[in-house]
Amino acid sequence: MAQRVAVSDGTNKKAARIRVAVRLRPYMNKQDEKGEGPCVRGLDSQNLEIVNWRNATETVKYHFDVYHGEQTTQLQVFLASVKPIIPHILTGQNASVFAYGPTGAGKTHTMLGSAQQPGVIPRAVREVFNLVKVKEEEDDGWDYSVGMSYLEIYNEKVLDLLAPGSQDLPIREDKDKNILIPGLTHTVLATFADFDKHFHPASLNRTTASTKLNQRSSRSHAILLIKVVRTQRALPHRQQTGKLYLVDLAGSEDNRRTGNQGIRLKESGAINLSLFTLSKVVDSLNSGTAIRVPYRDSKLTRLLQDSLGGSAHSVMITNIAPEYKYYFDTFSALNFAAKSKQIVNKPFTRETLIVPSVKRARDEPESGRSDAEPQKKRQKEEKKTEQASSSSHLHSPTEPSVMDRLVALEKLMMSCQDRDRLSMLKDGAQKEIQELKEKQRELESKAKLLTQMPGSKSSARIDPSFRNDSLPLQKKQSTAAKVTKQQAVVQPLQVVQLQPLRDVVNKHSVCIKKKKKLSEPMEAEGKENMSQNCWESQFNTSVVEQSRQKILQILNSGSIKELKSLQQIGDKKAKLIQGWRELNGDFKTVEELIKVEGMTEKRFSSFMKANVLSTMGN
């Protein structure tokens, strides 16, 4: 029996500061009505300055990891800012790239690009496949698998772009602090052509609209997840999982300039609220004294939890516009980028191992305890042992029985560490066999002397103590002696028929466990089945079956509202049922509802009882 255990390589846990790059969009004269020229300019490959709005004769200077000027190409942005972090995901670490900035500053162009000028996303995915191909050609002893998921956050709802029409998906966190989205489509990719085939149709599903500042403005945050899993061919079959998050954020908007109304105004409010929460997260991380970082205050920061102050290699590309009408948006974006540059992440390798499942012995002492068993339990066992000893006539009062010695040996063995048990068992077995041999020789010598005595033809002249030790029991036994069936019997000239000590100990231990395992669950199971099925027997079979079909119909074709009309089904459970239905198809029987997350057999029984009775009442 084997199980997978998640482990992390703590030795690789090194601090890695978020890399911040700033990209300046080309100046567009047609949009500049006053002809005031640019309000921001670059100084070198890492520095830029912007006019001080309080005093036009002064400028405010900023220093970043990389500055991309107006003439920077898509390839140069990728090579300088993104390519260095891609190899980390092939070693079980996470990485993320996200574009930030005001609406109309060129974030989507930086991330997606065009057919002639591909952006960060297609170039990064192609680089992943190139690295995997090199590893496979080198035959480094690992097998690689690449997959993708694509989603958007629209009006604080998580929507699957690979499955149009999907409902709002929940965000969960597992025991290892990994962020998960149950029900999100994951597509396995073999080549870059496979990615292209799925990505472009999914990008068209993203919510966009026209505003006064942008002909095709993104109304949602889009997140592409590329997962690389590599598995070791040889033992112990280590498995490492690396994730690459490529995020195209929607831009912050001034509704007075965009002219948003109605639904556009609601979208803008959700976007600005999530970006404001993102700013609060950055401020909280930089303060270093915050008790709680507000990741959960928005869906965006919840998904970026690993990228900001987490364990990912992160790159933020801040897009800005040079026109004066974008001045305050550009100024705010540069200040946010400067704060983000101070955040420190701690990447490490996430790994899964296959280890043997060791079942703990029932009587094995727990760590931190001085005794193998509690005091009361030990006293009860000692009392039982004394009663069995007093009722048995198979051994003399001064000598312990074979079974007593075996039990003592077992307890001694269980109190030792695993590595010492084998040697302890071997020494104990040799000692026990030696004592039995000496006992056998003594019995044989007594029997020989008795046979040589004149006129000795019956066992009446045999010493009583010798008769108790060696001869078989007579027919007139006490009832107490009949009860102790586990007591070992040692007869003359039959020592060779005894089982090895190892088998006796194992058989004794297993026997006790089996009795408890077989008796207790069977009683509990019988009572539970009787309580679960007795209510159905009180009604007509056809009526119950008709109610079950009605419930099955709602499970297969019902909307969220119709699913919530069922007894014991709330909003969360209805979404999980609908997600399971989209992934696996219709429910063939109502019993398949147990496969939905959180639905145990006990809950299912209660659910069926409540809904059948409710359906019959209607």
Side-chain angles (χ1 to χ4, degrees):
M1 188 60 137
Q3 60 180 351
R4 293 187 176 274
V5 178
V7 296
S8 60
D9 189 356
T11 57
N12 276 346
K13 197 177 256 191
K14 298 179 182 179
R17 185 175 52 80
I18 291 181
R19 289 179 55 84
V20 177
V22 174
R23 187 179 192 185
L24 180 63
R25 174 175 61 73
Y27 185 82
M28 304 174 72
N29 294 324
K30 294 181 181 180
Q31 295 184 3
D32 192 3
E33 299 174 357
K34 298 181 180 180
E36 295 174 327
C39 62
V40 60
R41 67 172 183 173
L43 300 177
D44 53 38
S45 61
Q46 291 183 310
N47 298 282
L48 71 154
E49 62 180 2
I50 186 173
V51 175
N52 187 352
W53 62 278
R54 293 186 178 88
N55 186 351
T57 61
E58 297 178 352
T59 60
V60 180
K61 294 181 174 59
Y62 293 90
H63 175 80
F64 298 103
D65 294 293
V66 182
Y67 167 71
H68 300 294
E70 301 177 45
Q71 305 302 320
T72 306
T73 63
Q74 298 277 64
L75 178 60
Q76 290 172 334
V77 172
F78 173 74
L79 293 177
S81 301
V82 181
K83 186 177 180 179
I85 69 170
I86 303 296
H88 291 296
I89 68 171
L90 269 70
T91 59
Q93 298 186 9
N94 294 345
S96 67
V97 181
F98 55 99
Y100 178 87
T103 183
K107 297 183 299 300
T108 302
H109 175 72
T110 297
M111 296 302 291
L112 294 181
S114 60
Q116 295 76 25
Q117 297 180 348
V120 167
I121 289 178
R123 293 180 186 273
V125 177
R126 190 181 292 276
E127 178 67 14
V128 169
F129 280 104
N130 289 340
L131 292 175
V132 170
K133 184 179 180 181
V134 171
K135 292 289 186 181
E136 290 176 343
E137 290 176 351
E138 292 177 353
D139 193 14
D140 57 352
W142 296 77
D143 292 326
Y144 293 84
S145 173
V146 182
M148 68 172 285
S149 299
Y150 197 19
L151 62 94
E152 71 171 351
I153 302 175
Y154 174 71
N155 282 344
E156 282 300 293
K157 294 181 179 179
V158 179
L159 305 177
D160 191 348
L161 293 176
L162 292 175
S166 62
Q167 301 295 322
D168 183 18
L169 298 175
I171 301 177
R172 300 283 184 263
E173 185 176 23
D174 65 10
K175 59 183 179 62
D176 297 319
K177 305 299 182 182
N178 297 317
I179 302 299
L180 305 173
I181 303 179
L184 182 64
T185 304
H186 179 76
T187 304
V188 179
L189 308 173
T191 61
F192 180 79
D194 289 344
F195 165 77
D196 215 25
K197 180 178 67 175
H198 292 92
F199 180 72
H200 282 291
S203 298
L204 298 177
N205 295 329
R206 186 180 178 186
T207 307
T208 59
S210 176
T211 66
K212 287 185 178 181
L213 295 180
N214 198 348
Q215 186 66 27
R216 194 170 184 269
S217 175
S218 300
R219 315 308 298 163
S220 66
H221 308 295
I223 301 177
L224 173 67
L225 169 61
I226 301 296
K227 183 190 291 186
V228 178
V229 180
R230 71 170 190 163
T231 307
Q232 191 179 29
R233 298 193 196 103
L235 289 174
H237 299 306
R238 295 159 55 202
Q239 190 176 82
Q240 297 175 349
T241 302
K243 298 177 182 179
L244 173 63
Y245 296 90
L246 299 166
V247 187
D248 180 12
L249 298 176
S252 57
E253 294 183 341
D254 185 348
N255 293 311
R256 294 169 297 183
R257 294 191 295 114
T258 56
N260 290 333
Q261 294 180 355
I263 188 64
R264 299 285 89 80
L265 188 63
K266 182 180 179 182
E267 294 168 350
S268 177
I271 292 170
N272 289 340
L273 180 60
S274 63
L275 293 176
F276 175 69
T277 306
L278 180 62
S279 179
K280 287 200 303 181
V281 168
V282 172
D283 290 338
S284 179
L285 290 171
N286 285 333
S287 67
T289 58
I291 299 176
R292 172 183 174 271
V293 180
Y295 289 117
R296 296 175 181 266
D297 289 2
S298 79
K299 299 289 182 68
L300 174 63
T301 52
R302 188 78 168 117
L303 289 175
L304 292 180
Q305 182 172 338
D306 190 51
S307 304
L308 299 170
S311 59
H313 299 268
S314 298
V315 174
M316 185 176 75
I317 304 176
T318 305
N319 292 263
I320 57 176
E323 292 83 11
Y324 263 92
K325 64 180 179 180
Y326 288 98
Y327 176 83
F328 287 104
D329 292 329
T330 298
F331 189 70
S332 299
L334 289 174
N335 287 333
F336 177 79
K339 291 188 296 183
S340 302
K341 190 165 64 76
Q342 302 174 27
I343 298 176
V344 175
N345 293 349
K346 294 183 179 180
F348 62 92
T349 300
R350 287 184 174 86
E351 191 172 278
T352 302
L353 294 178
I354 299 178
V355 297
S357 179
V358 180
K359 188 173 181 180
R360 185 176 174 181
R362 185 173 62 88
D363 294 331
E364 185 177 348
E366 296 182 4
S367 59
R369 291 192 180 183
S370 57
D371 296 326
E373 297 172 347
Q375 183 71 18
K376 292 183 179 179
K377 186 176 180 181
R378 190 167 62 249
Q379 290 176 355
K380 287 183 179 180
E381 289 197 357
E382 290 176 355
K383 189 175 181 181
K384 289 181 180 179
T385 305
E386 291 175 0
Q387 291 176 353
S389 301
S390 62
S391 63
S392 174
H393 299 280
L394 298 177
H395 58 279
S396 65
T398 59
E399 294 182 355
S401 67
V402 176
M403 182 54 66
D404 289 342
R405 294 196 302 231
L406 290 176
V407 171
L409 180 60
E410 181 186 11
K411 288 184 178 181
L412 181 62
M413 184 186 70
M414 289 300 180
S415 65
C416 301
Q417 299 295 328
D418 291 340
R419 61 178 180 270
D420 298 328
R421 286 183 185 172
L422 188 59
S423 59
M424 176 65 68
L425 185 65
K426 183 177 179 181
D427 296 339
Q430 291 178 350
K431 183 178 179 181
E432 187 71 21
I433 292 172
Q434 187 65 30
E435 291 180 1
L436 291 175
K437 285 183 178 180
E438 292 177 0
K439 183 74 174 179
Q440 181 68 22
R441 284 196 292 268
E442 181 182 354
L443 294 175
E444 289 178 354
S445 61
K446 286 185 178 182
K448 187 176 181 180
L449 289 174
L450 288 173
T451 55
Q452 294 176 356
M453 289 178 63
S456 60
K457 296 183 180 180
S458 66
S459 60
R461 305 168 86 179
I462 298 177
D463 183 61
S465 62
F466 173 67
R467 183 173 61 251
N468 288 341
D469 278 344
S470 59
L471 295 182
L473 293 175
Q474 304 299 324
K475 291 183 179 180
K476 295 182 180 180
Q477 290 180 329
S478 64
T479 53
K482 293 181 180 179
V483 175
T484 56
K485 295 182 180 180
Q486 298 182 31
Q487 205 68 24
V489 179
V490 181
Q491 296 181 356
L493 307 178
Q494 292 181 353
V495 176
V496 292
Q497 298 178 4
L498 290 176
Q499 295 180 350
L501 183 61
R502 184 195 305 268
D503 295 339
V504 174
V505 173
N506 290 341
K507 184 175 180 181
H508 177 67
S509 178
V510 172
C511 181
I512 297 175
K513 293 180 182 178
K514 280 187 177 180
K515 286 182 180 178
K516 289 192 175 182
K517 288 183 178 179
L518 290 176
S519 61
E520 295 176 1
M522 286 177 65
E523 285 186 34
E525 185 179 357
K527 292 180 180 179
E528 186 176 356
N529 290 337
M530 289 177 64
S531 62
Q532 289 179 0
N533 298 329
C534 65
W535 65 271
E536 289 190 3
S537 62
Q538 298 176 7
F539 303 101
N540 193 329
T541 307
S542 61
V543 177
V544 174
E545 184 61 28
Q546 185 177 358
S547 300
R548 291 167 66 91
Q549 291 300 323
K550 187 174 181 180
I551 296 171
L552 182 61
Q553 183 180 0
I554 296 175
L555 291 176
N556 285 330
S557 59
S559 61
I560 293 290
K561 184 176 180 180
E562 292 172 338
L563 288 171
K564 289 168 64 176
S565 66
L566 294 172
Q567 298 291 329
Q568 301 182 6
I569 297 296
D571 184 68
K572 175 183 174 182
K573 188 66 69 178
K575 291 177 181 178
L576 290 174
I577 291 173
Q578 193 173 60
W580 189 93
R581 191 172 65 198
E582 292 176 358
L583 289 175
N584 303 280
D586 291 346
F587 292 91
K588 296 180 177 60
T589 61
V590 289
E591 281 74 12
E592 285 193 356
L593 189 61
I594 297 177
K595 298 180 180 179
V596 177
E597 180 184 358
M599 182 63 75
T600 61
E601 292 186 4
K602 187 173 181 181
R603 290 182 181 176
F604 172 75
S605 177
S606 176
F607 163 81
M608 286 301 300
K609 181 178 180 180
N611 282 279
V612 168
L613 295 177
S614 175
T615 305
M616 293 171 62
N618 295 334

